[in-house]
Amino acid sequence: MAQRTLVLIKPDAVRRGLVGEVLSRFEAKGLSIVAMEHRSIDAAQADAHYAEHTEQPWYPPLREFAVSGPLVSLVLEGDEAIAVVRLLNGATDGRQAAPGTIRGDLSLSNRENLVHASDSEESATREIALWFPELS
Ligand code: CDP
Ligand code: MG
């Protein structure tokens, strides 16, 4: 059954010229791009997106990173897209993520880890409404 998930190609990926590399992995897997935007965000949008994390000690530097430059937000669609994209992204810490995943192949950081993806149907619904209200 087709499912939608919210993905961010984070500012480190844009700075490193990896947008095409990351997008091509999602496309090659068979996922469809339903919406996509290149944009910068402010602290309020970062706080809304990372609402579950704003009390973490590591949140202030994460917010600095999130607003540090343009990112690409997108909605992907496909069979079990939420779980499939999490698998393609790999574990949060790029140093521990499995080879073959985006983070495992391309990131050496627990913060600058190139991609975000919704972690549940509830998160996907909330995040798609936040980033692409016209789709909700
Ligand atoms: O992105 P993911 O769902 O895999 O991880 P998370 O635990 O929901 O954390 C969200 C984001 O916070 C991560 O992707 C990292 O960019 C960042 N993070 C961080 O800066 N420092 C940590 N100790 C943990 C996460
Ligand atoms: Mg998360």
Side-chain angles (χ1 to χ4, degrees):
M1 196 189 82
Q3 202 176 44
R4 288 182 175 186
T5 190
L6 186 282
V7 173
L8 302 178
I9 304 178
K10 296 183 183 183
D12 56 333
V14 175
R15 272 193 288 276
R16 292 174 59 195
L18 293 173
V19 173
E21 164 79 29
V22 170
L23 269 180
S24 71
R25 291 179 181 225
F26 296 137
E27 286 195 294
K29 185 68 174 174
L31 297 156
S32 302
I33 300 169
V34 172
M36 184 162 63
E37 185 180 17
H38 176 272
R39 60 176 284 189
S40 296
I41 64 168
D42 60 14
Q45 177 76 3
D47 291 355
H49 175 70
Y50 284 121
E52 66 179 326
H53 296 314
T54 54
E55 302 306 316
Q56 296 291 333
W58 42 264
Y59 183 67
L62 174 61
R63 177 167 50 189
E64 280 305 299
F65 168 52
V67 304
S68 68
L71 53 74
V72 176
S73 55
L74 60 153
V75 174
L76 292 176
E77 184 176 272
D79 188 24
E80 296 188 28
I82 294 169
V84 167
V85 174
R86 298 280 296 186
L87 280 173
L88 292 175
N89 285 0
T92 303
D93 188 337
R95 296 165 299 187
Q96 291 164 17
T101 66
I102 291 166
R103 288 161 167 174
D105 287 349
L106 303 169
S107 168
L108 196 57
S109 170
N110 194 31
R111 177 168 302 119
E112 302 204 3
N113 58 5
L114 303 168
V115 278
H116 164 86
S118 307
D119 65 6
S120 65
E121 287 187 43
E122 293 70 25
S123 299
T125 299
R126 188 187 78 81
E127 292 171 2
I128 290 169
L130 176 65
W131 290 89
F132 293 97
E134 67 275 17
L135 290 182
S136 299

